């Protein structure tokens, strides 16, 4: 598993919880390829800025619960690009979306702790 996400009210309480693993390595690679593209000059273009924070799986990330509606929208946007490409990616994005929605409904933040 690649992402270790925890829904919690604070960083302190998040560190005490068991991680919720969401994306496996194959799905993670597919997602990052869709989020990060290169233009004709070789520059990187980041789509889905909230999801793009996860491009470095070895760096901790934090999502405030007020950001979760936008994160859910980005997941839905990205999911459309995998309809004919990868059922694994769609399945993993659905799991991520449900996790985000549950955290949003409980007013909890999301924490990603790097390996």
């Amino acid at each position: 598993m690649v992402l270790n996400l925890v829904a919690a009210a604070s960083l302190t309480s998040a560190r005490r919880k068991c991680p919720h693993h969401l994306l496996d390595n194959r799905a993670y690679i597919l997602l990052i390829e869709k989020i990060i593209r290169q233009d004709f000059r070789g520059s990187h273009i980041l789509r889905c800025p909230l999801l793009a924070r996860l491009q470095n799986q070895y760096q901790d990330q934090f999502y405030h619960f007020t950001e979760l509606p936008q994160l859910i929208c980005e997941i839905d946007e990205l999911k459309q690009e995998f309809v004919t490409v990868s059922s694994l990616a769609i399945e993993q994005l659905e799991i991520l979306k449900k996790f985000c929605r549950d955290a949003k409904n409980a007013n909890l933040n999301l924490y990603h702790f790097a390996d």
Side-chain angles (χ1 to χ4, degrees), residues 3 5 10 20 47 52 55 65 78 104 107 110:
L3 297 180
L5 291 173
S10 69
H20 182 91
R47 301 174 49 224
Q55 68 180 312
F65 70 88
L78 199 57
K104 177 185 75 84
N107 289 332
L110 287 185

Side-chain angles (χ1 to χ4, degrees), residues 11-41:
L11 180 60
T12 303
S13 63
R15 292 203 184 276
R16 291 192 301 255
K17 290 185 175 185
C18 294
H20 182 91
H21 305 286
L22 290 172
L23 298 178
D24 71 25
N25 196 47
R26 292 171 297 163
Y28 175 80
I29 290 168
L30 288 172
L31 297 176
I32 295 304
E33 286 175 354
K34 292 285 187 184
I35 293 169
I36 301 170
R37 297 191 177 165
Q38 290 190 345
D39 66 11
F40 65 93
R41 296 178 304 246

Side-chain angles (χ1 to χ4, degrees), residues 44-61:
H44 285 70
I45 301 170
L46 297 178
R47 301 174 49 224
C48 306
L50 295 179
L51 279 171
R53 289 186 200 168
L54 298 173
Q55 68 180 312
N56 183 350
Q57 63 188 352
Y58 302 107
Q59 181 178 353
D60 291 350
Q61 288 299 326

Side-chain angles (χ1 to χ4, degrees), residues 91-103:
E91 176 185 308
Q92 296 285 299
L93 283 169
E94 278 298 319
I95 293 169
L96 179 58
K97 180 180 171 181
K98 181 183 181 328
F99 189 66
C100 292
R101 191 174 50 239
D102 291 348

